[in-house]
């Protein structure tokens, strides 16, 4: 076994999920993630945790959903499992990232409703989602399998403690700040973040972070405050459909103009979901220097150093003042801006990042 | 997908487990059984049952057990899952039938104890174990993959209704009978089956049968009544170790002499497990004509037409008069006798099978 698979499992179990002796753990084994599952089983055994392994296959799920249609029932047995779990480790991978592409939206929505309680029970645990490099993910990234594995482990096996400290500096700035301005090419967007709390997403539940890799600092804008325009010059895939060069113009926090080079109608449909889908729920700043390109997998893409992302839709409760609901929506879709050239990120009128490089990094002068 | 995979899934769901609308189903997906899992998901969706898929990998289990050793805890989350389940479909397969060969016995025993409540909850459901033909099972059988698939589906895709009717005739004879005699080569064994109830194991929970394929009629001998000797001339694999040409001599129901050409010490250790391991818990008569050879997989071997098997150890409650405990033991190990040549099976002094052919089959005269 590649030593990096073992290191990945240990990082997941110790740094990310903080597994303790006697923890009841659900390990979700995606297709193509068997080797990581073996390493995770070994790590959980060493720590005397008690695992059960579930099988997460897009092909199996598709077969079930196409046969059942919208007539799906609540999985009470699965709910009982998650209600008894202390931690959930989701090993994502897959053999075909397009496997779910022909499941009708209403079927998927009915399934999501039936699994609402399961999802909430899962979110109440120390849950972490990670990705094992598979051939399908390499293909999605347009990379050879060997190069993709190097890329993935470069993103996953980091000095998380050091990055947490660095990201803590940005979090401290954001927590004290009233306003943020993002400038890059056609983009010039301003928003208030008064009274918001940023999350130092350092790939550990101890930091309120549930992704491995992570490496971003995110907060929630005051929704009515967003003004200006933004060109999302990095591509994303939403429900299996690509959106490229999306453009949004905001007035009083709401999208008043929109377009995209590819996927304009996908974007338009998304904005029509509900009123909250026309407002921003998240401002995220990528800080993971192990990620130097987009690979079509948001788990990695949104963490890329030198990018910011803005999410249409739902805000995270953790970022909001107690009792304030924040932006509400059925969706949360991240869109990415490349900040590595002709760009600056300002906080309360001071430039803290220029061309993707923070002012505390070597070589940056104001 | 091979049409036989779909037919297998439909037989499993409809004939074997009798899945109804809204049943909460646990599907245990063994390594290498993905294609059957897809077909089962489709069949469960059609019937509007609610599945969850667990992952059963010998390699994952081995990694956990070797790391945890005997210090394993009860899996409360898994127990909660099985307590809420109406049915459990175990899709067995695997990539290496020897994967568990280096897990120490005491570790395996500790794990079995920790999973006792889970096992009982599972047995309280409409559970069925089946096998998907994998390369590892073909190798174990000494067959090409194509030939093995033909063999496996020949055993699985039968006219179960017709076989259930045929096996019902043998069950009726056994239920009324007082004694059985098995004669074949060196074998001459007599036992009482007074007041026992035979199980017509027709691969369906409706018949008290939990295996697909099945095709056997089995009962429990009166343990003290077993007299004579038996040569088990078909090989079996017990805990990864082969036993060939085992020989047992019984007096007052107990083994008083034993030997084997291969695995004599395995047999000796087995007999030392506990007092019940020296007595018989089961007499089974194979009736599945789709199985014409032993393949090293007891799920198939013990169902082979023209064989009988005798199990050292635990008797099945279903065969015993109410309130009678029957033979008790921590083990239940089936050993096989080939009845296809120079053999006869007598019930209450009448020969009902000669050279593997029942008297109601064409060509048999008394």
């Amino acid at each position: 076994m590649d030593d990096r698979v073992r290191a990945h499992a240990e990082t997941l179990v110790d740094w990310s999920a903080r597994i303790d002796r006697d923890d009841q753990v659900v390990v979700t084994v995606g297709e193509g993630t068997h080797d990581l599952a073996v390493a995770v089983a070994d790590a959980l055994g060493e720590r005397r945790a008690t695992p059960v392994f579930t099988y997460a296959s897009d092909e199996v799920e598709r077969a079930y959903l196409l046969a059942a249609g919208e007539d799906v029932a609540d999985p009470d047995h699965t709910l009982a499992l998650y209600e008894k779990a202390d931690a959930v480790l989701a090993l994502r991978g897959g053999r075909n990232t397009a496997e779910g592409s022909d499941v009708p939206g209403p079927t998927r929505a009915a399934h999501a409703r039936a699994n609402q309680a399961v999802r909430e029970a899962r979110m109440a645990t120390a849950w972490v989602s990670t990705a094992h490099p598979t051939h399908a993910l390499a293909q999605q990234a347009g990379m050879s399998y060997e190069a993709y594995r190097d890329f993935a482990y470069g993103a996953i096996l980091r000095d998380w403690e050091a990055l947490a400290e660095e990201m803590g500096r940005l979090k401290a700035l954001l927590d004290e700040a009233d306003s943020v301005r993002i400038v890059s090419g056609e983009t010039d967007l301003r928003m208030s973040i008064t009274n918001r709390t940023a999350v130092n997403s350092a790939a550990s539940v101890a930091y309120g972070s549930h992704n491995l890799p992570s490496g971003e600092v995110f907060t929630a804008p005051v929704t009515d405050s967003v003004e200006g325009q933004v060109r999302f010059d990095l591509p994303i895939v939403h429900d299996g459909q690509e959106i490229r060069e999306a453009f949004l113009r905001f007035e009083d926090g709401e999208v008043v103009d929109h377009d995209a080079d590819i996927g304009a109608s996908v974007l338009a449909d998304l904005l029509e979901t509900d009123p909250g889908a026309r407002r921003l729920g998240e401002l995220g700043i990528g800080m993971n220097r192990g990620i130097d390109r987009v690979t079509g997998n948001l788990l990695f893409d949104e963490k890329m150093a030198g990018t910011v992302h803005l999410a249409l839709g739902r805000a995270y409760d953790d970022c909001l003042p107690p009792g304030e609901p924040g932006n509400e929506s059925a969706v949360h879709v991240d869109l990415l801006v490349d900040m590595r050239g002709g760009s600056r990120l300002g906080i309360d009128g001071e430039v803290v990042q220029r061309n993707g490089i923070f002012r505390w990094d070597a070589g940056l002068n104001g």
Side-chain angles (χ1 to χ4, degrees), chain A:
Chain A
M1 186 181 288
D2 189 326
D3 283 345
R4 297 175 299 184
V5 179
R6 286 199 188 285
H8 183 180
E10 282 165 14
T11 301
L12 177 65
V13 165
D14 292 335
W15 173 263
S16 295
R18 309 282 159 133
I19 299 295
D20 281 329
R21 188 186 180 88
D22 292 336
D23 276 353
Q24 300 273 319
V25 184
V26 177
V27 183
T28 302
V29 182
E31 266 186 82
T33 71
H34 173 84
D35 287 356
L36 180 57
V38 172
V40 167
D42 178 65
L44 293 174
E46 290 277 359
R47 285 144 193 84
R48 304 295 188 275
T50 304
V52 65
F53 296 83
T54 65
Y55 186 55
S57 154
D58 291 336
E59 194 180 1
V60 167
E61 182 177 271
R62 171 184 177 276
Y64 171 67
L65 290 179
L66 289 186
E70 296 172 43
D71 188 10
V72 293
D74 295 3
D76 297 332
H77 55 353
T78 313
L79 180 60
L81 171 68
Y82 281 95
E83 283 178 341
K84 286 279 187 186
D86 299 304
V88 177
L89 307 178
L91 317 184
R92 306 200 184 285
R95 289 198 291 188
N96 172 7
T97 60
E99 189 59 38
S101 58
D102 55 0
V103 176
T107 299
R108 199 171 281 290
H111 191 238
R113 281 192 300 274
N115 280 276
Q116 173 72 15
V118 171
R119 207 158 45 243
E120 283 167 14
R122 179 179 182 277
M123 302 270 280
T125 73
W127 66 274
V128 181
S129 288
T130 193
H132 180 66
T134 64
H135 292 87
L137 293 176
Q139 177 176 326
Q140 171 109 325
M143 294 168 77
S144 70
Y145 184 46
E146 183 177 8
Y148 183 72
R149 276 180 297 167
D150 290 345
F151 163 81
Y153 292 119
I156 291 165
L157 304 178
R158 301 207 70 74
D159 182 343
W160 288 109
E161 201 126 27
L163 185 53
E165 201 179 309
E166 181 189 343
M167 294 196 300
R169 297 174 68 166
L170 181 58
K171 168 180 160 57
L173 282 178
L174 291 169
D175 286 352
E176 294 302 308
D178 288 318
S179 72
V180 171
R181 184 173 176 190
I182 300 161
V183 177
S184 179
E186 288 172 77
T187 297
D188 189 350
L189 196 72
R190 285 142 287 137
M191 64 192 70
S192 164
I193 56 165
T194 302
N195 285 329
R196 268 50 188 164
T197 305
V199 171
N200 176 351
S201 184
S204 172
V205 296
Y207 288 85
S209 173
H210 299 276
N211 289 174
L212 176 66
S214 192
E216 62 165 319
V217 177
F218 63 87
T219 189
V222 177
T223 51
D224 289 349
S225 73
V226 181
E227 294 286 344
Q229 62 183 39
V230 53
R231 172 72 72 181
F232 297 99
D233 49 357
L234 293 170
I236 66 140
V237 177
H238 173 64
D239 277 354
Q241 294 171 296
E242 201 174 28
I243 302 176
R244 276 188 186 265
E245 300 290 336
F247 177 85
L248 300 175
R249 196 158 59 77
F250 289 88
E251 283 179 16
D252 299 331
E254 194 174 62
V255 172
V256 292
D257 195 13
H258 59 88
D259 194 16
D261 284 4
I262 293 176
S265 66
V266 180
L267 179 63
D269 287 350
L270 169 64
L271 291 164
E272 289 302 311
T273 311
D274 51 35
R278 301 180 74 82
R279 295 172 178 275
L280 291 187
E282 181 191 349
L283 160 66
I285 300 163
M287 305 275 286
N288 187 328
R289 286 193 206 84
I291 304 172
D292 60 355
R293 72 190 78 189
V294 293
T295 59
N297 182 348
L298 213 60
L299 179 69
F300 291 80
D301 294 350
E302 66 170 3
K303 316 303 181 343
M304 177 174 160
T307 66
V308 299
H309 54 276
L310 300 163
L312 290 167
R314 196 172 54 251
Y316 289 109
D317 288 345
D318 290 354
C319 301
L320 301 168
E324 190 176 324
N327 195 35
E328 291 185 334
S329 173
V331 298
H332 178 103
V333 178
D334 294 286
L335 295 156
L336 281 76
V337 181
D338 194 339
M339 299 289 284
R340 291 173 297 178
S343 309
R344 58 183 204 272
L345 176 68
I347 297 180
D348 281 349
E350 273 191 65
V351 175
V352 298
Q353 188 200 70
R354 189 184 297 277
N355 300 335
I357 299 169
F358 285 99
R359 68 179 183 208
W360 50 78
D361 292 330
L364 182 74
N365 302 304

